[in-house]
Amino acid sequence: DQQVKQNSPSLSVQEGRISILNCDYTNSMFDYFLWYKKYPAEGPTFLISISSIKDKNEDGRFTVFLNKSAKHLSLHIVPSQPGDSAVYFCAARRAGTASKLTFGTGTRLQVTL
Amino acid sequence: GAVVSQHPSWVICKSGTSVKIECRSLDFQATTMFWYRQFPKQSLMLMATSNEGSKATYEQGVEKDKFLINHASLTLSTLTVTSAHPEDSSFYICSAATYEQYFGPGTRLTVT
């Protein structure tokens, strides 16, 4: 049972444009969400997170939006840069310290020149 | 800060042998460490959660006798793949956690 889903396995965006990566979840007990960036043969790198008490969190070029009623979150990257090309995973966890993460299936972002 | 290392970064072993992978938190003490595996083009699947000084908690479907986890200190956890088979070939990633999880660079295991 995939509790966190990223329905787009890949996305191609031109440099300078907005990249929008989507993530859906089914478990209503999740209340903290994270986005990670991953290159091949490397561990995930934390990008940005959002608590369920918020609907938006922004950090530089990265903004995460959360729609609790729809159980949907999205990551916006503006402007997209070639260095953003990687696989992006969303992850979710329940409240508490260091509780386990449930990862989505990943979206491969390709930023073209 | 919050650096996590894994050793080795890649390993090739023969079928039937055992392989140990180390995960270290270099600049912080981790109350909990997690072990994941990732197959090509798939998600990270949590294998087990370990707390220092106690037995690991394995996810459903993960053989605890095959994937031995030892969390001897607040900075070191090891994963031993016993009697490895080609289907165990995968990318193994650990994370060390205080409140947030910090991931290691991963270990590529190839069993021939």
Side-chain angles (χ1 to χ4, degrees), chain B residues 84-95:
Chain B
H85 289 285
E87 57 265 31
D88 298 325
S89 298
S90 189
F91 191 61
Y92 293 86
I93 306 173
C94 73
S95 71

Side-chain angles (χ1 to χ4, degrees), chain A residues 2-4 27 30-36 44-46 48-50 89-104, chain B residues 32-36 43-49 59 94-97 99-103:
Chain A
Q2 190 69 38
Q3 296 185 60
V4 180
N27 190 337
F30 289 143
D31 66 356
Y32 193 74
F33 305 89
L34 308 94
W35 283 95
Y36 288 87
T45 302
F46 170 75
I48 192 168
S49 63
I50 188 167
F89 289 95
C90 67
R93 74 174 191 216
R94 298 173 61 160
T97 58
S99 59
K100 64 183 185 181
L101 295 174
T102 300
F103 280 86
Chain B
T32 306
M33 287 185 170
F34 301 87
W35 286 95
Y36 298 81
S43 184
L44 282 74
M45 300 300 297
L46 180 65
M47 299 174 66
T49 303
E59 294 300 302
C94 73
S95 71
Y99 183 72
E100 297 292 350
Q101 287 191 39
Y102 301 95
F103 287 85

Side-chain angles (χ1 to χ4, degrees), chain A residues 23-42:
Chain A
C23 179
D24 297 292
Y25 62 97
T26 57
N27 190 337
S28 57
M29 299 299 290
F30 289 143
D31 66 356
Y32 193 74
F33 305 89
L34 308 94
W35 283 95
Y36 288 87
K37 179 180 180 180
K38 187 181 182 299
Y39 294 112
E42 292 185 13

Side-chain angles (χ1 to χ4, degrees), chain A residues 60-79:
Chain A
R61 295 187 298 116
F62 302 92
T63 303
V64 56
F65 296 92
L66 175 63
N67 183 333
K68 279 189 65 178
S69 61
K71 294 190 177 67
H72 176 84
L73 63 153
S74 61
L75 174 67
H76 292 208
I77 306 173
V78 183

Side-chain angles (χ1 to χ4, degrees), chain B:
Chain B
V3 178
V4 178
S5 70
Q6 277 184 245
H7 178 79
S9 55
W10 59 272
V11 57
I12 302 173
C13 71
K14 291 187 177 181
S15 187
T17 61
S18 296
V19 174
K20 181 184 285 188
I21 303 169
E22 290 186 350
C23 177
R24 292 181 186 271
S25 57
L26 299 183
D27 51 2
F28 67 101
Q29 293 185 324
T31 52
T32 306
M33 287 185 170
F34 301 87
W35 286 95
Y36 298 81
R37 67 186 295 182
Q38 183 187 26
F39 292 105
K41 297 183 179 180
Q42 293 191 23
S43 184
L44 282 74
M45 300 300 297
L46 180 65
M47 299 174 66
T49 303
S50 74
N51 293 292
E52 184 262 342
S54 61
K55 288 185 178 180
T57 302
Y58 290 82
E59 294 300 302
Q60 191 173 14
V62 178
E63 299 175 61
K64 60 181 181 181
D65 294 330
K66 180 169 185 60
F67 297 100
L68 300 179
I69 291 173
N70 182 274
H71 195 158
S73 74
L74 287 171
T75 59
L76 173 65
S77 176
T78 60
L79 167 68
T80 301
V81 183
T82 62
S83 187
H85 289 285
E87 57 265 31
D88 298 325
S89 298
S90 189
F91 191 61
Y92 293 86
I93 306 173
C94 73
S95 71
T98 50
Y99 183 72
E100 297 292 350
Q101 287 191 39
Y102 301 95
F103 287 85
T107 297
R108 168 73 61 193
L109 170 63
T110 301
V111 185
T112 60

